[in-house]
Amino acid sequence: MKRACVIGWPVEHSRSPLIHGYWLRKYGIDGAYSKQAVRPAAVMDFLKSLAANGFVGCNVTVPHKEAAFEAADEKDDSARAVSAANTLWLADGKLCAANTDTYGYMTYLGLAAPGWDARAAPVSILGAGGAARAIAYGFLKAGVDEILLFNRTRARAEALAAQFGSRIKVLDWNERQARSREAAVLVNTTSIGMNGEGSLDIDFTGFNPACVVSDIVYVPLQTELLARARGCGLRTVDGLGMLLHQAVPGFEKWFGVRPHVTEELRNILVADITGRPC
Ligand code: ATR
């Protein structure tokens, strides 16, 4: 039996077992996927003995993503861009790392808002943490000419821009509404709005009607940001799709089947998030 897991500290909140458990059942695979609570002091030892502990790989959540990147022998381009990894697997005795947030975000954006890239318009990114890095990298790879980056702590946005080059333009946090009106996509990568807490305080009146508004927060599914955008007739993309799609590459590496993100799987997660049966 092949075994994979998600490691974190804490890890109890992780919804990855719901996703991988669904796929293991759906494809009839003799495998298992568990949660492993790993203390920060123990993470390097854990990762170096993945195979000895019977695992073919793992997902990595907070606060171990940077340690996972450091521990890996081979790293994909997205992991390098973010200096953090969320997916690890063993290949020929080597520990390989990927950051699949870029793939997850860009894949779902393409599915949920086809044609988002039809306009020669900038993309606005709110936030400058690890998620912002993964998403900025995705947009740059997709050929976007200009990314407008807004972060409460401007120095962090400037560090991100310094890494990625001149296509990223840093603007003040309090300009996020006024300077995003012509954006092709506006994405929130901050934790504002999670569990209904805080507000990004953006009024979408006067935005270009083709603007797509997305949020990586998925609890609640419809965040205040998305509700406001919808209220102004804009297309919206929720954060759950990114969570589902980022899981695809890991499952394929560990269990040898490229899984599908189905409506049924999405409904399982929606039921878990909302507390209502599917
Ligand atoms: P992750 O790696 O998941 O992206 P992170 O590195 O903790 O998480 O980044 C969180 C992001 O949310 C940051 O951009 C943070 O802004 P700062 O760099 O100024 O800390 C942003 N953020 C969190 N709470 C915020 C708030 N109340 N107002 C504005 N930005 C906030």
Side-chain angles (χ1 to χ4, degrees):
M1 181 199 272
K2 288 183 176 171
R3 293 168 61 222
C5 63
V6 54
I7 66 163
W9 186 260
V11 76
E12 217 29 63
H13 64 280
S14 173
R15 290 188 166 89
S16 290
L18 278 179
I19 302 173
H20 294 288
Y22 166 83
W23 284 331
L24 286 170
R25 290 193 303 279
K26 183 176 172 68
Y27 297 107
I29 292 169
D30 183 22
Y33 186 96
S34 59
K35 291 178 192 172
Q36 300 288 325
V38 178
R39 289 175 190 278
V43 69
M44 280 301 174
D45 281 349
F46 184 92
L47 295 177
K48 292 293 181 193
S49 31
L50 259 186
N53 289 332
F55 291 108
V56 293
C58 65
N59 281 129
V60 184
T61 188
V62 179
H64 298 323
K65 292 184 183 185
E66 289 78 15
F69 178 76
E70 292 305 323
D73 303 306
E74 314 255 340
K75 302 151 192 199
D76 80 349
D77 58 355
S78 179
R80 285 180 195 282
V82 186
S83 299
N86 67 352
T87 305
L88 297 173
W89 69 95
L90 290 154
D92 301 327
K94 288 194 171 149
L95 186 62
C96 304
N99 190 313
T100 64
D101 282 343
T102 304
Y103 168 82
Y105 180 80
M106 297 308 293
T107 301
Y108 187 55
L109 179 65
L111 290 170
W116 66 266
D117 51 354
R119 297 173 56 229
V123 165
S124 283
I125 298 182
L126 312 183
R133 247 169 228 270
I135 289 169
Y137 179 66
F139 280 122
L140 291 175
K141 271 211 314 190
V144 163
D145 286 335
E146 189 176 45
I147 294 176
L148 308 179
L149 185 61
F150 306 86
N151 196 48
R152 175 181 61 181
T153 309
R154 192 180 167 114
R156 250 184 129 189
E158 273 161 4
L160 197 160
Q163 178 189 344
F164 285 123
S166 59
R167 279 193 281 162
I168 302 208
K169 192 166 167 185
V170 175
L171 296 168
D172 275 346
W173 177 244
N174 61 18
E175 292 182 292
R176 63 194 180 281
Q177 178 179 310
R179 299 296 297 271
S180 297
R181 290 206 173 93
E182 294 306 318
V185 180
L186 178 143
V187 52
N188 172 45
T189 75
T190 77
S191 49
I192 297 173
M194 200 181 285
N195 302 315
E197 284 162 25
S199 171
L200 285 156
D201 213 13
I202 294 179
D203 178 354
F204 289 100
T205 309
F207 270 54
N208 189 300
C211 179
V212 174
V213 177
S214 81
D215 205 329
I216 70 161
V217 171
Y218 57 86
V219 182
L221 261 183
Q222 164 135 279
T223 58
E224 190 217 26
L225 180 79
L226 298 185
R228 283 190 182 209
R230 258 191 213 185
C232 284
L234 302 182
R235 278 198 294 175
T236 61
V237 178
D238 65 58
L240 180 56
M242 175 183 176
L243 176 74
L244 296 171
H245 284 276
Q246 64 76 32
V248 168
F251 189 91
E252 183 179 24
K253 293 285 184 199
W254 308 321
F255 301 115
V257 172
R258 186 144 186 105
H260 291 283
V261 174
T262 61
E263 205 51 38
E264 185 183 28
L265 171 60
R266 189 180 157 91
N267 288 340
I268 290 171
L269 273 288
V270 170
D272 188 64
I273 290 165
T274 60
R276 289 195 285 272
C278 26

